[in-house]
Amino acid sequence: MNDFLKLTALSAAILLLSGCGSIISRTIPGQGHGSQYYPGVQWDVRDGPWRVLTIIDLPLSLVMDTLLLPVDAHHGPYE
């Protein structure tokens, strides 16, 4: 039962963090750092105290940023 709870908590954390860098870089002003393409990936690889956690989010942000390429092309740089 204990292993099941650990697996459930890990799965919930992964789902809640999925594409986090992509969402933050597009919604919070100043977090996109002027990047037009793949701002979530660039947000994930920045230097900071949470870098270890954001590296975990990197593959999910890569997928989300790829899906949002048409939006990025239309929107322009995220300032």
Side-chain angles (χ1 to χ4, degrees), residues 58-78:
L58 184 65
L60 301 169
S61 292
L62 181 66
V63 170
M64 185 69 119
D65 284 348
T66 301
L67 293 174
L68 291 173
L69 272 174
V71 174
D72 294 341
H74 180 70
H75 182 276
Y78 292 94

Side-chain angles (χ1 to χ4, degrees), residues 20-37:
C20 183
S22 298
I23 294 167
I24 289 173
S25 64
R26 288 176 174 83
T27 58
I28 299 176
Q31 294 298 315
H33 303 292
S35 303
Q36 181 169 351
Y37 299 107

